[in-house]
Amino acid sequence: MTERTTPQFLGFTPARAAFFLVFAAVVALSPLVLYPIFLMKIYCFIIFACAYNLLLGYTGLMSFGHAAFFGAGAYLCGHAAARWGLSPELAVLSGTVFAGLLGLVFGWIAIRRQGLSFAMITLALAQMMYFIALKVPFTGGEDGIQGVPRGHLFGIIDLSSNTALYWTLAVIVLAVVALYNRIVHSPFGQVLRAIRNNPERARSLGVNVDRFKLVSFVISAAMSGFAASLKTVVFGIASLTDISVNVSTEVVLINLVGGIGTIFGPVAGSYIILSLEHFLSPYGPWLLLIQGLVFIMFVLVFRQGVVGGLQKKLKSHL
């Protein structure tokens, strides 16, 4: 039975629904074993990786500059909460909208090119944003924006409690993954895949390819800003790390390990990469060597990523 004939509900086939329920169970039980702050970082990067996978895996656009949107969302959320005194939901919304608007500008510039040229333009724009973040007083320079308050969500939920914040993030990440799945398996997502597979044929069928690419770029940028805004609320700081090129390469690595063009690839990749960083951090510089070896192993053995290889064996889209 192909995916077209498999019964679906909101984009979930039985196989995807089963994996989603497993993910939900892991989210619910993880605090019993792992530190909630570490888990919340993983959830923020899952959202970020989903945003990037929408662009690369389903639209076919390789961006090396997504740190610009991640950092922009982090900075504006931090400034809105710490300087303007906005509530956490409004601060996160501010970071998300700002990242989306920045994505509109960058996307309008970048989508005029394809392939390596597109990737290099996004990298150049991101490096410009890094320089701006380093120099302007708004961002705090090398010190970043510190002391970002968690506040009360909707004036009710006290996010200063790690437990309350964890369950808030847990609900959000599950909702985002479900929404991401729905977008991918909507008519809009089908058009994106048609553009990825054969843009000229899509154009011949009357599809405004550039417009769909731009919309995908903006959605991806806004989701990246949303992820960074949540991370700023969790850790109480927005810094140059959030807008550095390392963030752009990390999200690419997460998707390569998890599986590009899959729903649960960003989930698996985030758990694997961030767990490696966390548990191998005592080894200092050796961490980079170990990460490199793991990356080589995945490229040679799991060329389609963990979830990509799994869906090939199960013959079901995950």
Short mmCIF file of all heavy atoms in Angstrom, two decimals, residues 197-239:
data_model
loop_
_atom_site.label_atom_id
_atom_site.label_comp_id
_atom_site.label_asym_id
_atom_site.label_seq_id
_atom_site.Cartn_x
_atom_site.Cartn_y
_atom_site.Cartn_z
N ASN A 197 11.75 18.37 -6.63
CA ASN A 197 12.06 17.29 -7.56
C ASN A 197 12.31 17.79 -8.98
O ASN A 197 13.21 17.28 -9.67
CB ASN A 197 10.93 16.26 -7.56
CG ASN A 197 10.80 15.55 -6.23
OD1 ASN A 197 11.77 15.42 -5.49
ND2 ASN A 197 9.59 15.09 -5.92
N ASN A 198 11.51 18.76 -9.43
CA ASN A 198 11.66 19.24 -10.81
C ASN A 198 11.03 20.64 -10.91
O ASN A 198 9.86 20.78 -11.28
CB ASN A 198 10.98 18.28 -11.78
CG ASN A 198 11.38 18.54 -13.22
OD1 ASN A 198 11.67 19.67 -13.61
ND2 ASN A 198 11.40 17.48 -14.03
N PRO A 199 11.80 21.68 -10.59
CA PRO A 199 11.24 23.03 -10.61
C PRO A 199 10.74 23.47 -11.98
O PRO A 199 9.74 24.20 -12.08
CB PRO A 199 12.40 23.91 -10.13
CG PRO A 199 13.63 23.08 -10.31
CD PRO A 199 13.20 21.67 -10.15
N GLU A 200 11.42 23.04 -13.04
CA GLU A 200 10.99 23.44 -14.38
C GLU A 200 9.64 22.84 -14.73
O GLU A 200 8.78 23.51 -15.33
CB GLU A 200 12.05 23.02 -15.42
CG GLU A 200 13.38 23.73 -15.26
CD GLU A 200 13.22 25.24 -15.29
OE1 GLU A 200 12.39 25.74 -16.10
OE2 GLU A 200 13.90 25.93 -14.52
N ARG A 201 9.43 21.59 -14.36
CA ARG A 201 8.13 20.96 -14.63
C ARG A 201 7.04 21.63 -13.81
O ARG A 201 5.93 21.87 -14.30
CB ARG A 201 8.21 19.48 -14.30
CG ARG A 201 6.92 18.73 -14.64
CD ARG A 201 7.05 17.26 -14.37
NE ARG A 201 5.83 16.54 -14.73
CZ ARG A 201 5.63 15.24 -14.53
NH1 ARG A 201 6.60 14.52 -13.97
NH2 ARG A 201 4.52 14.67 -14.88
N ALA A 202 7.36 21.96 -12.54
CA ALA A 202 6.37 22.65 -11.70
C ALA A 202 6.01 24.00 -12.30
O ALA A 202 4.84 24.40 -12.33
CB ALA A 202 6.93 22.83 -10.29
N ARG A 203 7.00 24.69 -12.83
CA ARG A 203 6.76 26.00 -13.46
C ARG A 203 5.90 25.84 -14.71
O ARG A 203 5.02 26.67 -14.97
CB ARG A 203 8.10 26.65 -13.80
CG ARG A 203 7.99 28.10 -14.23
CD ARG A 203 9.34 28.76 -14.43
NE ARG A 203 9.96 29.12 -13.15
CZ ARG A 203 11.01 28.52 -12.62
NH1 ARG A 203 11.59 27.50 -13.26
NH2 ARG A 203 11.52 28.91 -11.47
N SER A 204 6.12 24.76 -15.45
CA SER A 204 5.33 24.54 -16.67
C SER A 204 3.88 24.23 -16.36
O SER A 204 3.00 24.41 -17.21
CB SER A 204 5.95 23.40 -17.48
OG SER A 204 5.76 22.15 -16.83
N LEU A 205 3.61 23.76 -15.13
CA LEU A 205 2.25 23.46 -14.71
C LEU A 205 1.54 24.68 -14.11
O LEU A 205 0.42 24.58 -13.61
CB LEU A 205 2.25 22.33 -13.69
CG LEU A 205 2.71 20.96 -14.21
CD1 LEU A 205 2.83 19.96 -13.07
CD2 LEU A 205 1.73 20.44 -15.27
N GLY A 206 2.21 25.82 -14.16
CA GLY A 206 1.59 27.05 -13.69
C GLY A 206 1.92 27.43 -12.27
O GLY A 206 1.32 28.37 -11.71
N VAL A 207 2.86 26.73 -11.64
CA VAL A 207 3.24 27.03 -10.26
C VAL A 207 4.22 28.21 -10.24
O VAL A 207 5.18 28.23 -11.00
CB VAL A 207 3.89 25.80 -9.60
CG1 VAL A 207 4.41 26.15 -8.20
CG2 VAL A 207 2.91 24.65 -9.52
N ASN A 208 3.94 29.18 -9.40
CA ASN A 208 4.87 30.29 -9.21
C ASN A 208 5.98 29.81 -8.28
O ASN A 208 5.88 29.92 -7.05
CB ASN A 208 4.15 31.51 -8.62
CG ASN A 208 5.01 32.77 -8.64
OD1 ASN A 208 6.23 32.69 -8.47
ND2 ASN A 208 4.38 33.91 -8.83
N VAL A 209 7.03 29.26 -8.86
CA VAL A 209 8.08 28.58 -8.09
C VAL A 209 8.74 29.52 -7.08
O VAL A 209 8.92 29.18 -5.91
CB VAL A 209 9.14 27.97 -9.04
CG1 VAL A 209 10.34 27.45 -8.26
CG2 VAL A 209 8.52 26.84 -9.87
N ASP A 210 9.10 30.72 -7.53
CA ASP A 210 9.78 31.66 -6.64
C ASP A 210 8.92 32.05 -5.45
O ASP A 210 9.41 32.21 -4.33
CB ASP A 210 10.21 32.91 -7.41
CG ASP A 210 11.37 32.64 -8.35
OD1 ASP A 210 12.01 31.58 -8.21
OD2 ASP A 210 11.64 33.48 -9.24
N ARG A 211 7.62 32.21 -5.69
CA ARG A 211 6.73 32.59 -4.59
C ARG A 211 6.64 31.47 -3.55
O ARG A 211 6.71 31.74 -2.35
CB ARG A 211 5.34 32.91 -5.13
CG ARG A 211 4.35 33.34 -4.04
CD ARG A 211 2.98 33.62 -4.62
NE ARG A 211 3.03 34.73 -5.57
CZ ARG A 211 1.99 35.11 -6.31
NH1 ARG A 211 0.84 34.45 -6.24
NH2 ARG A 211 2.11 36.14 -7.14
N PHE A 212 6.53 30.24 -4.00
CA PHE A 212 6.45 29.12 -3.06
C PHE A 212 7.77 28.96 -2.31
O PHE A 212 7.78 28.65 -1.11
CB PHE A 212 6.08 27.83 -3.77
CG PHE A 212 4.60 27.63 -3.94
CD1 PHE A 212 3.95 28.10 -5.07
CD2 PHE A 212 3.86 27.00 -2.95
CE1 PHE A 212 2.57 27.94 -5.21
CE2 PHE A 212 2.49 26.82 -3.09
CZ PHE A 212 1.84 27.30 -4.22
N LYS A 213 8.89 29.15 -2.99
CA LYS A 213 10.19 29.09 -2.32
C LYS A 213 10.29 30.16 -1.25
O LYS A 213 10.78 29.91 -0.15
CB LYS A 213 11.32 29.26 -3.34
CG LYS A 213 11.60 28.04 -4.20
CD LYS A 213 12.79 28.32 -5.12
CE LYS A 213 13.14 27.10 -5.96
NZ LYS A 213 14.31 27.36 -6.85
N LEU A 214 9.81 31.36 -1.57
CA LEU A 214 9.88 32.46 -0.61
C LEU A 214 9.00 32.18 0.60
O LEU A 214 9.41 32.42 1.74
CB LEU A 214 9.45 33.77 -1.30
CG LEU A 214 9.52 35.03 -0.42
CD1 LEU A 214 10.94 35.25 0.09
CD2 LEU A 214 9.03 36.24 -1.20
N VAL A 215 7.81 31.66 0.37
CA VAL A 215 6.92 31.33 1.49
C VAL A 215 7.55 30.26 2.38
O VAL A 215 7.53 30.36 3.61
CB VAL A 215 5.54 30.86 0.97
CG1 VAL A 215 4.69 30.33 2.13
CG2 VAL A 215 4.82 32.01 0.28
N SER A 216 8.13 29.24 1.76
CA SER A 216 8.81 28.20 2.52
C SER A 216 9.97 28.78 3.33
O SER A 216 10.17 28.42 4.49
CB SER A 216 9.33 27.11 1.57
OG SER A 216 10.09 26.15 2.26
N PHE A 217 10.71 29.69 2.71
CA PHE A 217 11.85 30.32 3.38
C PHE A 217 11.39 31.12 4.59
O PHE A 217 12.00 31.07 5.66
CB PHE A 217 12.58 31.23 2.38
CG PHE A 217 13.97 31.61 2.80
CD1 PHE A 217 15.07 30.88 2.37
CD2 PHE A 217 14.20 32.70 3.63
CE1 PHE A 217 16.36 31.22 2.75
CE2 PHE A 217 15.48 33.05 4.02
CZ PHE A 217 16.56 32.31 3.58
N VAL A 218 10.31 31.87 4.43
CA VAL A 218 9.79 32.70 5.53
C VAL A 218 9.28 31.83 6.67
O VAL A 218 9.53 32.11 7.85
CB VAL A 218 8.68 33.64 5.01
CG1 VAL A 218 8.00 34.35 6.18
CG2 VAL A 218 9.25 34.66 4.05
N ILE A 219 8.55 30.77 6.34
CA ILE A 219 8.06 29.86 7.38
C ILE A 219 9.23 29.24 8.14
O ILE A 219 9.23 29.16 9.37
CB ILE A 219 7.18 28.75 6.77
CG1 ILE A 219 5.89 29.34 6.21
CG2 ILE A 219 6.86 27.68 7.81
CD1 ILE A 219 5.03 28.35 5.46
N SER A 220 10.25 28.81 7.40
CA SER A 220 11.43 28.22 8.01
C SER A 220 12.14 29.21 8.92
O SER A 220 12.57 28.88 10.03
CB SER A 220 12.38 27.71 6.92
OG SER A 220 13.53 27.13 7.48
N ALA A 221 12.27 30.46 8.46
CA ALA A 221 12.93 31.50 9.26
C ALA A 221 12.14 31.79 10.52
O ALA A 221 12.72 31.93 11.62
CB ALA A 221 13.09 32.77 8.42
N ALA A 222 10.82 31.89 10.40
CA ALA A 222 9.98 32.18 11.57
C ALA A 222 10.05 31.05 12.59
O ALA A 222 10.14 31.30 13.81
CB ALA A 222 8.54 32.41 11.13
N MET A 223 10.02 29.81 12.11
CA MET A 223 10.14 28.68 13.03
C MET A 223 11.50 28.66 13.72
O MET A 223 11.60 28.32 14.91
CB MET A 223 9.93 27.36 12.27
CG MET A 223 8.49 27.07 11.90
SD MET A 223 8.33 25.53 10.95
CE MET A 223 8.85 24.31 12.17
N SER A 224 12.54 29.06 13.00
CA SER A 224 13.88 29.13 13.59
C SER A 224 13.91 30.18 14.69
O SER A 224 14.48 29.96 15.77
CB SER A 224 14.91 29.47 12.51
OG SER A 224 14.93 28.50 11.50
N GLY A 225 13.31 31.35 14.42
CA GLY A 225 13.23 32.39 15.44
C GLY A 225 12.40 31.95 16.64
O GLY A 225 12.72 32.30 17.79
N PHE A 226 11.36 31.18 16.38
CA PHE A 226 10.52 30.65 17.47
C PHE A 226 11.33 29.73 18.36
O PHE A 226 11.28 29.82 19.59
CB PHE A 226 9.33 29.92 16.86
CG PHE A 226 8.39 29.32 17.87
CD1 PHE A 226 7.69 30.12 18.76
CD2 PHE A 226 8.19 27.94 17.91
CE1 PHE A 226 6.82 29.56 19.69
CE2 PHE A 226 7.33 27.37 18.83
CZ PHE A 226 6.63 28.19 19.72
N ALA A 227 12.10 28.83 17.75
CA ALA A 227 12.95 27.90 18.51
C ALA A 227 13.96 28.66 19.36
O ALA A 227 14.17 28.34 20.53
CB ALA A 227 13.67 26.95 17.55
N ALA A 228 14.60 29.67 18.76
CA ALA A 228 15.61 30.45 19.49
C ALA A 228 14.98 31.26 20.62
O ALA A 228 15.58 31.41 21.69
CB ALA A 228 16.34 31.37 18.53
N SER A 229 13.78 31.77 20.39
CA SER A 229 13.09 32.53 21.43
C SER A 229 12.79 31.65 22.63
O SER A 229 12.96 32.07 23.79
CB SER A 229 11.79 33.12 20.86
OG SER A 229 12.06 34.02 19.80
N LEU A 230 12.35 30.44 22.37
CA LEU A 230 12.10 29.49 23.47
C LEU A 230 13.39 29.18 24.22
O LEU A 230 13.41 29.11 25.46
CB LEU A 230 11.49 28.21 22.92
CG LEU A 230 10.08 28.31 22.32
CD1 LEU A 230 9.67 26.98 21.70
CD2 LEU A 230 9.07 28.73 23.39
N LYS A 231 14.48 29.01 23.47
CA LYS A 231 15.77 28.73 24.09
C LYS A 231 16.22 29.90 24.98
O LYS A 231 16.78 29.69 26.06
CB LYS A 231 16.81 28.45 23.01
CG LYS A 231 18.21 28.14 23.53
CD LYS A 231 19.12 27.75 22.37
CE LYS A 231 20.57 27.62 22.83
NZ LYS A 231 21.18 28.93 23.13
N THR A 232 15.96 31.12 24.54
CA THR A 232 16.30 32.30 25.33
C THR A 232 15.52 32.33 26.63
O THR A 232 16.06 32.68 27.68
CB THR A 232 16.02 33.58 24.51
OG1 THR A 232 16.81 33.56 23.32
CG2 THR A 232 16.36 34.82 25.31
N VAL A 233 14.25 31.97 26.57
CA VAL A 233 13.44 31.92 27.79
C VAL A 233 13.97 30.84 28.74
O VAL A 233 14.04 31.05 29.95
CB VAL A 233 11.96 31.65 27.43
CG1 VAL A 233 11.14 31.39 28.69
CG2 VAL A 233 11.37 32.82 26.66
N VAL A 234 14.36 29.71 28.19
CA VAL A 234 14.85 28.60 29.02
C VAL A 234 16.14 28.97 29.73
O VAL A 234 16.28 28.79 30.95
CB VAL A 234 15.06 27.33 28.16
CG1 VAL A 234 15.76 26.24 29.00
CG2 VAL A 234 13.72 26.81 27.64
N PHE A 235 17.11 29.51 28.99
CA PHE A 235 18.44 29.77 29.54
C PHE A 235 18.64 31.20 30.05
O PHE A 235 19.63 31.49 30.71
CB PHE A 235 19.52 29.45 28.49
CG PHE A 235 19.64 27.98 28.21
CD1 PHE A 235 18.99 27.41 27.13
CD2 PHE A 235 20.40 27.16 29.03
CE1 PHE A 235 19.08 26.05 26.87
CE2 PHE A 235 20.51 25.80 28.78
CZ PHE A 235 19.85 25.24 27.70
N GLY A 236 17.72 32.10 29.72
CA GLY A 236 17.81 33.46 30.22
C GLY A 236 18.90 34.29 29.59
O GLY A 236 19.35 35.28 30.18
N ILE A 237 19.35 33.91 28.38
CA ILE A 237 20.43 34.66 27.73
C ILE A 237 20.35 34.49 26.22
O ILE A 237 19.95 33.43 25.72
CB ILE A 237 21.82 34.19 28.24
CG1 ILE A 237 22.94 35.04 27.63
CG2 ILE A 237 22.03 32.70 27.95
CD1 ILE A 237 24.30 34.75 28.22
N ALA A 238 20.70 35.57 25.52
CA ALA A 238 20.88 35.52 24.06
C ALA A 238 22.29 36.02 23.79
O ALA A 238 22.66 37.11 24.23
CB ALA A 238 19.85 36.41 23.36
N SER A 239 23.08 35.23 23.09
CA SER A 239 24.49 35.57 22.92
C SER A 239 24.93 35.39 21.48
O SER A 239 24.17 34.93 20.62
CB SER A 239 25.36 34.69 23.83
OG SER A 239 25.31 33.34 23.39
#
